[in-house]
Amino acid sequence: MSRPGDFVPLAGAREIAATLPASAFADTALAEAVTLERALSLLLSHRALQKEADRLRSVLAELCAIPQDGPELDLALAPEVAPEEALRLLAAGMTRAAKQETGSIHPQDMADLTRLLCGGRTKGVLHVVGTDGTSEATEVTMMLIDAELDPVRITFDADGDATIHADGARYVCLSPDQLELIAARSQEAVAIWEEISAREDALLEEDGA
């Protein structure tokens, strides 16, 4: 066999293929020597890449001081997650690890993680709440997570004008996409306010009757 320092997938595949009986893959595409060598090469490459991926995962977890089996690390390394979003997930994982001794919630996926940061609400979705338990104090609000993983509360008035609340933070850092989302939600907020107003008028008419 090749020495470890000289090993390359194709050379290793040829050495393995040479040890296999010629009839081992009869009546299959692998019966052809070229195809067999290619398949073995891909298998060996995948194994080598998987070992390197596991090593990099371990190093990343150590660097960020988060568990290797943590949900944030799984999400950050998912192929469809952009690097900037992955960094936010890793930062959230560090925050969670720091609070773990206090019995904080362990999010199981991205939706749970963002909902946790948003106080139990789904980010980017309008919610109707009563600030003091009365219908007159109804508030149309939406939660976002800014670039520094801080929850941001946005309220909309009946005209669709948005107010951004830092809620204790010194400032908020919103992306252009988030600003566009706020603008889009303002029209939805107007429709919600109109529905609330119509419902209240109907109740007043019933009381008057």
Side-chain angles (χ1 to χ4, degrees):
M1 295 291 288
S2 301
R3 292 176 299 171
D6 299 331
F7 177 80
V8 293
L10 185 55
R14 286 172 176 167
E15 291 182 5
I16 294 173
T19 67
L20 297 172
S23 60
F25 305 101
D27 300 324
T28 73
L30 295 176
E32 297 183 14
V34 174
T35 305
L36 178 60
E37 288 180 359
R38 182 61 175 158
L40 282 169
S41 178
L42 290 173
L43 287 171
L44 292 170
S45 296
H46 180 272
R47 182 169 298 180
L49 289 172
Q50 187 62 54
K51 288 179 64 177
E52 180 64 8
D54 291 341
R55 186 187 72 81
L56 292 176
R57 179 189 178 96
S58 176
V59 172
L60 185 58
E62 183 178 356
L63 177 67
C64 297
I66 59 177
Q68 289 190 43
D69 58 351
E72 297 88 357
L73 192 56
D74 287 335
L75 292 167
L77 294 174
E80 67 275 11
V81 176
E84 56 272 20
E85 182 66 19
L87 286 175
R88 296 188 186 103
L89 290 165
L90 291 174
M94 288 184 267
T95 300
R96 182 174 71 87
K99 296 180 178 180
Q100 196 167 15
E101 294 182 359
T102 64
S104 59
I105 299 173
H106 294 188
Q108 297 301 308
D109 55 28
M110 191 177 296
D112 288 341
L113 179 60
T114 55
R115 194 175 294 113
L116 173 61
L117 293 173
C118 291
R121 300 178 188 173
T122 302
K123 72 173 182 177
V125 175
L126 292 178
H127 298 272
V128 179
V129 298
T131 55
D132 65 0
T134 66
S135 59
E136 291 77 15
T138 298
E139 187 177 71
V140 178
T141 184
M142 176 177 71
M143 296 297 297
L144 292 176
I145 303 298
D146 76 355
E148 297 182 354
L149 282 178
D150 290 321
V152 179
R153 183 169 57 94
I154 298 97
T155 56
F156 298 87
D157 64 17
D159 294 323
D161 294 332
T163 301
I164 299 174
H165 305 269
D167 288 345
R170 289 183 298 174
Y171 61 89
V172 298
C173 184
L174 298 175
S175 69
D177 287 344
Q178 288 176 319
L179 293 174
E180 290 178 1
L181 177 63
I182 293 172
R185 290 289 186 266
S186 68
Q187 298 303 312
E188 297 180 26
V190 169
I192 290 174
W193 275 115
E194 290 175 350
E195 183 179 344
I196 292 172
S197 178
R199 193 161 53 235
E200 290 177 347
D201 290 343
L203 288 173
L204 288 174
E205 289 179 1
E206 290 179 4
D207 290 341

